[in-house]
Amino acid sequence: MGESGVTPSLILHEALRHPSTIGTLGTRQWNALIRVARAEMLMATLGERAAGTDVPDKARLLLDEARAAARRNHDAARFEVLRMADALRDSGIPVVLMKGSAYLMALLPPLPGRNIGDLDIMVPRESLADTERALKGAGWLSVKPRGTYDDAYYRQWMHELPPLAHEMRGGVIDLHHTILPLTARLTPRPERIFEHAVRPAALAPGGETDALPDNIFVMSPPEMLLHSATHLAYDGDFQGGARNLWDIDRLVRHFAKAEGFWDELTIAAAAHDLTVPLARALRLAEALYETPSPPSVRGRGDIVDRLALRKLRGHDEYGQGAAPGAQFLLFLRGHWLRMPPLMLARHLWTKWRARRGEGRREAPQNAR
Amino acid sequence: MSGARYIPARADLRVEPLEDLTLVFHRLSGETHILSPEMEMMFSHLPDAGIHPAGLLRTLETEYGAVEAEDGDALAVISQRLEELAALGLVIRAA
Amino acid sequence: MANETETPEGTSIDAEENARVASRRRVLKLGAIAVPAVATLSPSMAMANNGGGAAVSMMACQVRIPSRIDADGDVVPDNAHVFRQGGHWVYKKDPNSKQKTRVFRVGSNFSYSGQQIKDATAGGVINPPAGVGRHKFEAHVRYMQHVRSGNVPGAGLSCLVSLTNSLNVANI
Amino acid sequence: MTMQHMRVRIGPATFDIRSPFRAPVEAARRLYAEYPQGSDDEIFDFAVAAVPTVWWRRWYRRSMTFRADYMMEDIVPIEERLGLLGFEMAVNMQMALGYRRDIVLHAASAAQGDRAIIIVGDSGAGKSTLSALLSYSAGWRHLGDELALIAMDDPITLKPYPRPIGLKNQSIAVMRERVDGSRFGPELTGTMKGTVRHLLPPAGAIANMDVPARPALIVSPHFAEGVAPRTEQMSQSEAYMRLSVASTNQLQLGEPGFDTLIRLVREVPAYDLHYSDSEDALKLVADLWAKAG
């Protein structure tokens, strides 16, 4: 890899952008590509992108293995959405599917190969208690974080409740009422998201999706993109950034086909006070995947972009991060963005103490 | 609760009776359910068009002569069992 | 679970079988409402378990305890002479020995739910469910450990598996 | 950082093993000397690395942790002298978590001709010992002591995964009486499972590691002091549950995984074995094997 100056991360970004190029990779580059793709949770996505490309047999085996796993994951995620929708069917509460589950139910382009984890949903803040009650009536339980600090912290400061896990299946729902923590200095307007929400079938190519009750929605295209961008730019340290930027790339290329999309996006970004994170996400997506966007929306690069790119491109041939300095600065930045300084100090102190205590209790028997 | 009609989700399921118990694989969730003989018997008597708990009780009474519950009301047990199946996605509850 | 002698075995019962069953005019006896009748093997729980094997949902799990269990967790034979001594029920387990073994008695339909057992053995410490004495519960855990390794037939099948982990931590 | 580095293939999977610590990689090289060594010109399945817990731990009070393709965050740091054990653990974890081409079963297995026995059971139930005895005292071909790979084909086949056998505590002496010392790895004391020593399978098992076998018998050993030897047949649904729960990935393989296990428990009889002595265990297996025809 050293010979061409192409880092393993760049091989991955290039492979996703132009899958036909992987036909020319040497064995050593293949090994590096597989490691980085696994580390970035993009192995199955790569498998879907490279479906028609001629690749070595062993590579095909490993890519197909990942694709099959992602398809199973999609079935299971769809089941969780349907169970949740069933539990909230009679409540009349508008429910907005977020991230992976929205791409899944509206069959949007980030979906193929994308791993879908917990089920993230958003309801109006005043309906949180009713939603929680309805889900608990249908078998979901509050996952009690250890100690009261965490529970209180979630409820007071975060943009979601403590996670709910289903008692039988273990599937987890994260219940949100806005798209950023209340403590963050930006204040998006959740009510606007509910006003503009659309039915999943309205976005799906061909309009064919699972039958969902009338109260299940996804965000409008501009707001779905804004949420993804905010998530990337605000979720701490750009961990998993290659995957999140891939989502953004796919959404942009798909939504921008519609007349007037960039204008709508600009208006929505201003209304939610999210112009800055949107611009950053578009700049980084352009750097990684050549994602097209108007320069006026994208704005100018800064030091955070450079740190983020160092991290996003810094995986070695075993998929390990190789930019510890950038990593630490980004970690601090992530917490700084989300919390006022005094609270941040309190939070880190409490976390640290809890972790130390746990470490002491668990060390001798942690023999898994 | 006994007003609801329950429709078996047979198209989503693969039912495999073993010598002793019956296993049901649910394609969407990937879950494998192991039905007790009592549950299997109720499930296999659900018509494809669906049925109310009271209707299922009548079907079973026709077949067995009498249906009793260990702790009281047979209709309550049947309703409860159908709800268990609905919670797992093995039957669909229709209004 | 329904009593096996009173329920049909197969899944599909054809007309002939129907007629045969109906002609016997058996009474179909359903199990107690509180005892779940499905055990579930779930992939998401397997994942949460981090690859260390699947978990069976604890809610759908019931172990019935025989009415007479001795302190070693063995079933007391029906013909054993059980008598009171020093405030306890005891019997001579080995007829050739003078040693007496304590016997714990429960009603005919006594069972534990998987959740009860899990709660009672959390953290590797025995903490009996309400209403069950410590020695009695320990005897029952020993019994369940035998069941698990196949020494005693006839307990709830679903529990054999789901209990494995809970009982492992109970150092009895 | 200069890395020590090796590649080894075990059954269908090739592992890339590396570390800045010299000793554990050299120990792995010695242990795996008879196995096919992967070449640099080959796409491998999983990478596993032993790295210092903190950078200065490379030199002072050496301890290591592990990085790999699939989640290794929870592994507690290991002293340098136990590094070989860490590699073994990390390699198994990759198969358990990342390998999806076959059903991965936490089980031992062995074959006579093209027919195989699957040995399932909890850790400590006697799987490894029984499989070591079968291959060294009863002439069976060793297929694996820890993970069995069940191909989701028709007919169902078992793919060998003949890793070195991880013997623990008393079973080390049991096998040491029967097998020449040259086939043993170093004695690792004070591990979380007591003393561990690896025993290389007979050379034939390694040479034939690409030859599959068809499952013909499933047993679950239960070693206990003072019990009379006996066997008890499992019902099909019980066998299904035992296998499903012993699998690290079957539930995630969807309908093909379900289908394969259902066929397996319908076609292949399963038994619990109770014994207090290894000769009894071998006799019980021989009887069941004769019966399984």
Side-chain angles (χ1 to χ4, degrees):
Chain A
M1 255 117 298
E3 57 265 32
S4 60
V6 178
T7 69
S9 305
L10 290 174
I11 298 176
L12 173 66
H13 305 154
E14 179 69 8
L16 289 170
R17 217 166 13 180
H18 305 297
S20 63
T21 59
I22 59 178
T24 63
L25 295 179
T27 307
R28 188 164 173 200
Q29 290 171 313
W30 262 113
N31 281 326
L33 174 60
I34 290 163
R35 302 284 95 60
V36 178
R38 282 181 178 165
E40 295 281 27
M41 307 269 285
L42 281 164
M43 186 70 174
T45 304
L46 180 63
E48 295 290 348
R49 289 288 287 163
T53 310
D54 198 24
V55 305
D57 289 348
K58 186 61 179 275
R60 173 62 60 211
L61 202 61
L62 299 180
L63 290 169
D64 283 350
E65 192 173 37
R67 283 168 81 196
R71 288 181 184 174
R72 280 288 320 122
N73 168 264
H74 290 180
D75 282 346
R78 183 172 286 116
F79 182 72
E80 286 296 324
V81 171
L82 295 175
R83 300 321 297 162
M84 176 279 296
D86 195 47
L88 298 177
R89 181 187 298 273
D90 300 328
S91 69
I93 299 165
V95 178
V96 173
L97 303 173
M98 305 168 94
K99 298 191 275 192
S101 56
Y103 310 151
L104 176 74
M105 301 314 280
L107 302 174
L108 291 168
L111 182 63
R114 190 191 193 279
N115 182 66
I116 300 171
D118 296 348
L119 169 53
D120 291 275
I121 59 173
M122 180 172 157
V123 298
R125 192 172 190 182
E126 62 274 15
S127 303
L128 275 176
D130 288 343
T131 311
E132 201 178 8
R133 204 171 305 121
L135 290 173
K136 284 184 174 170
W140 274 272
L141 309 165
S142 216
V143 184
K144 288 261 164 17
R146 261 171 249 189
T148 52
Y149 168 73
D150 277 299
D151 192 70
Y153 168 76
Y154 263 106
R155 286 174 191 275
Q156 195 176 353
W157 299 111
M158 292 299 280
H159 54 316
E160 58 188 44
L161 294 183
L164 295 158
H166 196 274
E167 62 180 355
M168 305 286 269
R169 295 189 298 279
V172 172
I173 294 182
D174 290 325
L175 189 54
H176 304 248
H177 59 84
T178 179
I179 55 174
L180 268 183
L182 296 179
T183 49
R185 264 150 279 169
L186 303 182
T187 47
R189 295 173 44 216
E191 62 286 356
R192 191 182 192 278
I193 290 175
F194 290 102
E195 280 161 28
H196 288 75
V198 296
R199 299 275 291 149
L203 291 189
E208 284 291 320
T209 62
D210 286 278
L212 285 168
D214 299 340
N215 59 330
I216 306 294
F217 299 91
V218 295
M219 293 180 202
S220 69
E223 286 170 325
M224 196 184 291
L225 180 61
L226 274 176
H227 178 229
S228 189
T230 310
H231 191 63
L232 170 92
Y234 271 79
D235 215 27
D237 52 0
F238 296 92
Q239 191 66 40
R243 208 272 305 261
N244 293 333
L245 286 166
W246 181 250
D247 287 349
I248 289 167
D249 175 82
R250 294 293 100 181
L251 292 177
V252 167
R253 289 175 195 267
H254 181 65
F255 291 149
K257 288 182 212 150
E259 192 73 28
F261 172 73
W262 292 107
D263 293 338
E264 280 177 41
L265 179 62
T266 312
I267 293 166
H272 285 295
D273 196 12
L274 294 174
T275 305
V276 174
L278 172 67
R280 183 180 315 288
L282 291 173
R283 288 196 301 271
L284 294 174
E286 191 207 18
L288 257 63
Y289 304 120
E290 298 168 0
T291 313
S293 59
S296 59
V297 184
R298 207 160 62 224
R300 290 167 62 92
D302 61 12
I303 174 78
V304 176
D305 285 16
R306 286 198 291 281
L307 286 172
L309 284 173
R310 259 185 70 189
K311 179 166 180 188
L312 291 166
R313 289 173 174 157
H315 291 272
D316 67 12
E317 63 182 311
Y318 286 99
Q320 304 296 321
Q327 164 87 22
F328 181 68
L329 291 171
L330 290 170
F331 169 79
L332 284 185
R333 171 183 171 270
H335 279 82
W336 171 256
L337 282 176
R338 277 178 291 162
M339 285 186 226
L342 185 62
M343 221 175 87
L344 173 60
R346 216 179 71 191
H347 170 72
L348 292 177
W349 167 248
T350 314
K351 280 270 170 219
W352 178 75
R353 274 205 339 195
R355 200 173 299 168
R356 263 190 27 166
E358 255 168 47
R360 245 183 264 122
R361 276 198 307 280
E362 288 177 6
Q365 64 201 37
N366 195 353
R368 268 190 300 173
Chain B
M1 194 158 75
S2 63
R5 204 156 50 84
Y6 295 85
I7 303 166
R10 292 216 165 88
D12 297 338
L13 306 175
R14 183 163 151 191
V15 180
E16 292 287 349
L18 294 177
E19 303 159 326
D20 48 344
L21 295 172
T22 296
L23 268 58
V24 178
F25 178 74
H26 187 242
R27 293 195 179 88
L28 201 56
S29 67
E31 292 174 326
T32 302
H33 304 287
I34 299 142
L35 306 189
S36 71
E38 165 186 329
M39 192 63 122
E40 189 283 322
M41 184 261 309
M42 285 186 205
F43 183 74
S44 63
H45 281 82
L46 291 175
D48 289 349
I51 199 168
H52 300 280
L56 181 58
L57 176 58
R58 273 196 301 277
T59 307
L60 296 175
E61 277 170 348
T62 314
E63 205 139 293
Y64 295 94
V67 179
E68 287 173 9
E70 200 172 285
D71 54 358
D73 185 359
L75 182 62
V77 174
I78 290 174
S79 301
Q80 167 70 22
R81 294 289 178 258
L82 290 171
E83 274 299 305
E84 281 178 52
L85 292 174
L88 299 168
L90 302 186
V91 302
I92 311 295
R93 194 193 307 100
Chain C
M1 287 193 181
N3 194 322
E4 269 177 29
T5 56
E6 290 158 340
T7 47
E9 293 96 349
T11 35
S12 59
I13 301 169
D14 58 25
E16 211 181 286
E17 172 74 5
N18 276 350
R20 200 172 60 78
V21 171
S23 72
R24 260 193 265 147
R25 310 300 291 170
R26 298 197 297 187
V27 175
L28 172 64
K29 216 163 181 185
L30 303 177
I33 199 162
V35 181
V38 184
T40 297
L41 297 156
S42 172
S44 49
M45 299 191 88
M47 238 176 276
N49 237 7
N50 211 6
V56 176
S57 94
M58 299 300 290
M59 312 302 284
C61 172
Q62 205 77 16
V63 176
R64 212 164 269 198
I65 303 291
S67 57
R68 301 194 300 185
I69 291 292
D70 71 25
D72 302 326
D74 293 324
V75 180
V76 179
D78 285 346
N79 60 6
H81 175 55
V82 175
F83 54 98
R84 280 188 82 84
Q85 188 181 67
H88 299 311
W89 292 99
V90 295
Y91 79 126
K92 277 188 186 167
K93 193 169 187 174
D94 178 358
N96 305 319
S97 155
K98 282 195 172 159
Q99 185 142 13
K100 291 172 197 81
T101 307
R102 204 171 152 186
V103 175
F104 298 94
R105 311 206 310 174
V106 291
S108 62
N109 264 327
F110 187 86
S111 63
Y112 292 105
S113 74
Q115 194 61 48
Q116 274 181 310
I117 295 163
K118 193 175 163 190
D119 293 345
T121 54
V125 185
I126 293 288
N127 191 7
V132 183
R134 184 178 188 82
H135 295 298
K136 181 188 269 186
F137 187 69
E138 284 179 357
H140 289 169
V141 169
R142 285 192 192 100
Y143 165 77
M144 288 184 275
Q145 286 171 326
H146 295 322
V147 174
R148 188 163 64 95
S149 56
N151 283 321
V152 181
L157 169 75
S158 57
C159 270
L160 295 182
V161 179
S162 49
L163 286 178
T164 303
N165 291 331
S166 317
L167 295 185
N168 264 349
V169 299
N171 272 327
I172 293 185
Chain D
M1 239 186 325
T2 50
M3 282 281 180
Q4 299 292 312
H5 178 276
M6 72 171 290
R7 289 214 184 130
V8 62
R9 183 164 73 81
I10 309 168
T14 304
F15 300 88
D16 181 284
I17 290 173
R18 69 192 199 285
S19 178
F21 295 102
R22 180 176 293 272
V25 179
E26 274 173 4
R29 275 200 195 112
R30 277 194 298 277
L31 189 62
Y32 287 108
E34 291 179 21
Y35 289 73
Q37 309 289 301
S39 81
D40 277 352
D41 197 34
E42 140 180 55
I43 294 174
F44 60 85
D45 293 83
F46 303 106
V48 171
V51 298
T53 43
V54 194
W55 64 268
W56 48 265
R57 290 283 194 172
R58 196 180 157 197
W59 292 280
Y60 174 70
R61 281 198 195 166
R62 297 166 169 215
S63 71
M64 56 180 71
T65 185
F66 292 83
R67 305 242 181 285
D69 287 9
Y70 290 91
M71 307 178 269
M72 298 290 297
E73 287 87 6
D74 285 349
I75 290 205
V76 274
I78 279 183
E79 293 168 57
E80 189 197 12
R81 67 182 184 90
L82 299 179
L84 184 59
L85 203 63
F87 276 137
E88 289 288 298
M89 207 153 75
V91 158
N92 280 339
M93 285 280 264
Q94 300 312 294
M95 291 300 283
L97 300 174
Y99 184 88
R100 299 285 183 95
R101 309 201 284 273
D102 305 298
I103 296 176
V104 178
L105 212 57
H106 186 58
S109 52
Q112 280 195 18
D114 67 345
R115 291 154 43 78
I117 183 173
I118 299 174
I119 305 165
V120 288
D122 303 336
S123 302
K127 285 193 308 289
S128 290
T129 318
L130 184 53
S131 78
L133 284 168
L134 287 175
S135 55
Y136 275 105
S137 295
W140 292 63
R141 174 161 71 99
H142 176 78
L143 303 181
D145 80 314
E146 179 92 7
L147 300 177
L149 309 178
I150 297 174
M152 295 178 282
D153 298 330
D154 193 11
I156 297 167
T157 55
L158 207 56
K159 290 183 190 166
Y161 180 73
R163 229 186 38 122
I165 303 162
L167 297 173
K168 282 150 225 134
N169 305 319
Q170 305 94 308
S171 54
I172 299 172
V174 172
M175 292 315 295
R176 191 63 193 80
E177 285 168 18
R178 293 166 161 85
V179 185
D180 181 78
S182 67
R183 300 212 60 80
F184 286 84
E187 189 164 81
L188 305 167
T189 54
T191 81
M192 285 165 292
K193 292 178 174 175
T195 301
V196 173
R197 198 164 178 196
H198 290 103
L199 168 62
L200 279 177
I206 300 171
N208 287 304
M209 74 183 191
D210 295 325
V211 181
R214 301 208 23 209
L217 178 66
I218 299 164
V219 298
S220 175
H222 307 280
F223 171 88
E225 300 284 347
V227 302
R230 68 195 160 87
T231 62
E232 268 169 51
Q233 184 154 14
M234 289 182 216
S235 73
Q236 289 181 351
S237 63
E238 185 169 357
Y240 182 94
M241 298 266 278
R242 299 263 194 107
L243 294 175
S244 185
V245 169
S247 171
T248 62
N249 67 356
Q250 179 259 338
L251 286 165
Q252 281 141 51
L253 295 171
E255 196 166 359
F258 175 77
D259 176 79
T260 304
L261 271 203
I262 287 280
R263 282 188 289 135
L264 186 63
V265 300
R266 281 193 178 133
E267 290 166 13
V268 177
Y271 294 86
D272 282 304
L273 307 183
H274 301 273
Y275 57 87
S276 57
D277 165 288
S278 42
E279 297 308 321
D280 288 344
L282 288 173
K283 190 168 175 315
L284 291 177
V285 170
D287 290 349
L288 289 174
W289 188 250
K291 219 161 81 179

